[in-house]
Amino acid sequence: MGLQLYNSLTRRKEEFEPLEKGRVGIYVCGPTVYGHAHLGHAKSYVSFDVLVRYLRYLGYAVTYVQNVTDVGHLTDDADEGEDKIAKEAKKEKTHPMALAEMYTRSFFEDMDRLNCLRPDISPRASGHIIEQIELVKTLVETEYAYEVNGSVYFDVSKFEEYGKLSGRNIEEMQAGARVEVSPDKKNPADFALWKKAEPNHIMQWPSPWGKGYPGWHLECSAMSMKYLGATVDIHGGGLENQFPHHECEIAQSEAANGVQFVRYWMHNNMVTVDSQKMGKSLNNFITLKQAFSGAHERLTRSYEPLAVRQLILNSHYRSPLDFSDAALFAALSGYGKIADVVKGVRKMAPQAPEGDIEGEVAEQLEQFKGRFEEAMNDDLNTSVALSVVFELVRLANTLLEDSSTTAATLGAVDDLFTRLGGDVLGVVKDEYEQTGRAGEAMMDKLVNVLIDQRNQARKDRDFARADSLRDSLDEVGIVLEDTPQKTTWRMK
RNA sequence: GGCGGCGUAGCCAAGAGGCCCAAGGCGACGGUUUGCAAAACCGUUAUUCGCCGGUUCGAAUCCGGCCGCCGCCUCCA
């Protein structure tokens, strides 16, 4: 059985088949860059990163598009709604584009540290105003949209399938509407495609309806069509965007093109903190920079970025992740265990005895690979996939303790770690920096001076002195590990 | 009010009718190893899956009720 993905549109797992054999187009809703990325962003983008990586592992040629929203995302849909970027820029006393640029860089920096592959295309909403205006023009011409006072709204009543993704209908929503409805709208559910800009609004462009700026939902449709065509294989995003954002995308795209917009809709679940949704507007979020540095009251220490990745992959993308320092700490330990054994395998392989790969080991590796793929094929069950990696860890550690293990065997183990743990899950690095920088080389030398002294003391059976040296190193966070051959050290 | 989801060991988390007296990780405990540690390996750590009923030869998994929690319906990954 091939890859099965849960399609939010049909509410069940479906065999994945791209429109064009061997090629996959993916569009994922990117961040609105008005603040540093937080754990919620991490869950979303790590999840879709693994999807992209796995599709490539399966041999698909993937085009991965993830937008950057730098204009048009309003604080709410009412008339007083402010542009989020413009609002934050005013607060930080900077130009909206400067603010967007700064947080865009910050975002990529954090994603790089999480080992998320860069999207093939990262289109900015502000760079696609023309395409967005064209799309609005089409919708006005076909009477799916109407202009009022310099703003253009999508007429939801004209699009019969509105609500098919989120399973709601217009009548129900009217009953539950909490937002004050703009008097310009024909129907409360209508949404803005183009908004008229007040003279003091910095971000504005000329259009057939006067000066204004695009509505938030519009950019994803315009850019998805531009780079991936009228129909895209997969569109991903956070569960909270299912309605209204994705529903609106479907309406405007399918109204304009007359063909299905997205074949597989994928939504990742949310990150909660103390069972409360973590969100920018709730101000209870932990940014990735805080997680990496430990600068947050809920964190007891700084965390290796890939420990965050490991924590995310430990659960399913469609399950909520309730964040805690304890859970992240556990993920860090597990991540470290994998890293340690991979380092060990790579170090030992060149000096291991020559010879063929052991048949029994080869068989086991093949079996791990099969179970890993089976788990990933089941709607990306990374939790089970990771458990297979941990079984590989145990096997590798056992092989390392056996001095007769051949170089070929260790090579095959390394290869599987690299492919499954590295290429697909992204928690195994291609290279682990040991003594790259000058400071680290110096450090290594200094620690080794002390290690030599301690080993001399041990040889002299002066264990008091040996232990005292070890304790001193322990105080500065350096742990020693003795093996029959030599003593190694690592940071706690 | 409408729509949707969740509740599995001390913690995180898979499993969705029999392979389950329930994977994997963290932690804890015991053992092997070690001068002692650390690391690693081996073993133990849920006869039971929120509670109560039902369907079934058989249920953590299906159905009903109850309790608790969460999300969406307004911006959020």
Side-chain angles (χ1 to χ4, degrees):
Chain A
M1 185 131 57
L3 175 62
Q4 306 268 123
L5 295 176
Y6 182 86
N7 189 346
S8 306
L9 191 62
T10 57
R11 286 147 216 257
R12 57 165 182 259
K13 287 182 198 170
E14 294 175 356
E15 181 85 22
F16 175 72
E17 278 174 43
L19 202 56
E20 201 184 324
K21 199 168 182 297
R23 307 187 74 86
V24 182
I26 301 182
Y27 187 96
V28 172
C29 285
T32 298
V33 283
Y34 67 110
H36 291 298
H38 53 63
L39 291 169
H41 294 102
K43 177 164 165 74
S44 183
Y45 300 123
V46 165
S47 299
F48 289 112
D49 179 59
V50 167
L51 169 65
V52 170
R53 285 164 170 273
Y54 189 57
L55 287 167
R56 288 189 176 140
Y57 171 90
L58 292 176
Y60 289 106
V62 180
T63 303
Y64 178 22
V65 179
Q66 185 193 99
N67 64 290
V68 172
T69 299
D70 56 1
V71 67
H73 199 158
L74 304 186
T75 50
D76 62 66
D77 209 19
D79 259 5
E80 323 75 63
E82 279 185 273
D83 184 304
K84 289 185 168 193
I85 307 241
K87 185 182 172 188
E88 187 64 25
K90 209 181 286 175
K91 213 165 89 189
E92 297 192 20
K93 293 192 171 63
T94 182
H95 192 283
M97 277 284 109
L99 182 98
E101 187 63 35
M102 178 179 93
Y103 285 123
T104 300
R105 285 181 203 166
S106 166
F107 174 75
F108 282 125
E109 191 179 289
D110 291 341
M111 292 303 127
D112 285 349
R113 297 189 73 187
L114 285 173
N115 203 12
C116 289
L117 302 173
R118 292 274 181 118
D120 297 295
I121 304 173
S122 300
R124 271 70 164 174
S126 65
H128 296 75
I129 301 297
I130 291 169
E131 289 84 348
Q132 296 186 67
I133 289 173
E134 285 303 313
L135 181 53
V136 178
K137 271 162 75 179
T138 304
L139 292 169
V140 170
E141 277 162 23
T142 52
E143 292 184 6
Y144 276 106
Y146 55 92
E147 188 219 333
V148 183
N149 293 327
S151 291
V152 182
Y153 296 93
F154 187 90
D155 188 345
V156 166
S157 68
K158 294 267 174 68
F159 189 76
E160 280 186 15
E161 292 185 300
Y162 191 82
K164 68 179 175 182
L165 176 66
S166 51
R168 30 192 119 210
N169 58 58
I170 298 167
E171 295 80 64
E172 279 167 6
M173 289 182 319
Q174 277 172 288
R178 271 186 274 157
V179 192
E180 221 173 294
V181 176
S182 162
D184 290 345
K185 292 183 182 178
K186 284 190 193 170
N187 187 311
D190 290 353
F191 57 92
L193 295 168
W194 186 264
K195 297 276 279 187
K196 177 186 181 169
E198 298 307 319
N200 61 350
H201 201 103
I202 304 174
M203 301 294 279
Q204 54 171 289
W205 291 264
S207 80
W209 316 282
K211 292 196 165 187
Y213 54 96
W216 173 44
H217 312 304
L218 195 59
E219 55 167 298
C220 291
S221 291
M223 299 191 293
S224 181
M225 285 173 205
K226 172 159 181 155
Y227 299 110
L228 297 167
T231 300
V232 59
D233 290 306
I234 299 172
H235 188 119
L239 196 56
E240 84 290 347
N241 276 334
Q242 193 171 37
F243 186 90
H245 186 53
H246 294 155
E247 202 69 71
C248 295
E249 283 184 38
I250 292 174
Q252 60 201 191
S253 305
E254 300 193 350
N257 296 327
V259 297
Q260 184 175 30
F261 177 46
V262 174
R263 305 182 63 230
Y264 301 88
W265 278 96
M266 293 179 69
H267 292 95
N268 65 278
N269 218 312
M270 318 298 288
V271 173
T272 55
V273 174
D274 285 341
S275 303
Q276 279 286 106
K277 186 178 91 157
M278 185 175 84
K280 281 182 182 170
S281 51
L282 294 172
N283 219 43
N284 66 341
F285 59 88
I286 298 170
T287 68
L288 292 168
K289 291 190 191 331
Q290 287 169 332
F292 301 159
S293 69
H296 193 283
E297 59 180 7
R298 288 178 189 274
L299 301 173
T300 56
R301 55 164 291 158
S302 63
Y303 287 94
E304 165 83 27
L306 290 192
V308 174
R309 188 176 175 103
Q310 173 113 1
L311 174 67
I312 290 163
L313 297 181
N314 185 229
S315 66
H316 192 91
Y317 76 91
R318 284 193 289 117
S319 302
L321 172 63
D322 191 30
F323 176 84
S324 69
D325 182 75
L328 183 52
F329 187 84
L332 176 67
S333 298
Y335 166 74
K337 193 168 165 177
I338 296 172
D340 284 346
V341 74
V342 172
K343 284 185 226 170
V345 168
R346 289 178 185 169
K347 197 167 134 200
M348 291 306 288
Q351 57 205 69
E354 286 185 33
D356 291 339
I357 176 167
E358 267 175 79
E360 206 175 304
V361 174
E363 228 167 80
Q364 277 192 77
L365 296 181
E366 201 49 42
Q367 197 230 348
F368 287 157
K369 183 163 164 279
R371 283 168 51 213
F372 180 93
E373 288 173 6
E374 196 182 324
M376 291 300 287
N377 280 342
D378 182 16
D379 193 32
L380 308 178
N381 193 334
T382 53
S383 181
V384 171
L386 253 188
S387 78
V388 175
V389 172
F390 276 109
E391 288 183 54
L392 179 59
V393 167
R394 201 179 316 150
L395 173 67
N397 270 319
T398 307
L399 291 171
L400 281 178
E401 299 215 335
D402 180 354
S403 58
S404 70
T405 301
T406 64
T409 300
L410 290 178
V413 169
D414 180 19
D415 187 57
L416 202 60
F417 268 125
T418 303
R419 294 191 68 202
L420 308 186
D423 295 347
V424 179
L425 297 180
V427 293
V428 169
K429 296 190 192 181
D430 288 339
E431 277 184 41
Y432 291 90
E433 54 288 317
Q434 268 295 16
T435 50
R437 282 165 293 170
E440 285 177 20
M442 168 82 85
M443 172 95 148
D444 191 52
K445 277 184 189 165
L446 282 170
V447 175
N448 276 321
V449 168
L450 295 170
I451 285 176
D452 287 345
Q453 289 196 19
R454 171 167 168 273
N455 282 340
Q456 188 56 51
R458 289 171 74 205
K459 217 178 268 175
D460 299 340
R461 303 195 71 76
D462 181 358
F463 296 121
R465 176 165 158 72
D467 289 351
S468 132
L469 280 164
R470 184 171 61 194
D471 290 346
S472 303
L473 285 168
D474 186 75
E475 271 173 40
V476 296
I478 291 169
V479 186
L480 299 186
E481 288 173 7
D482 297 328
T483 68
Q485 295 82 34
K486 62 177 289 196
T487 301
T488 59
W489 67 274
R490 65 182 168 86
M491 297 301 296
K492 230 189 272 186

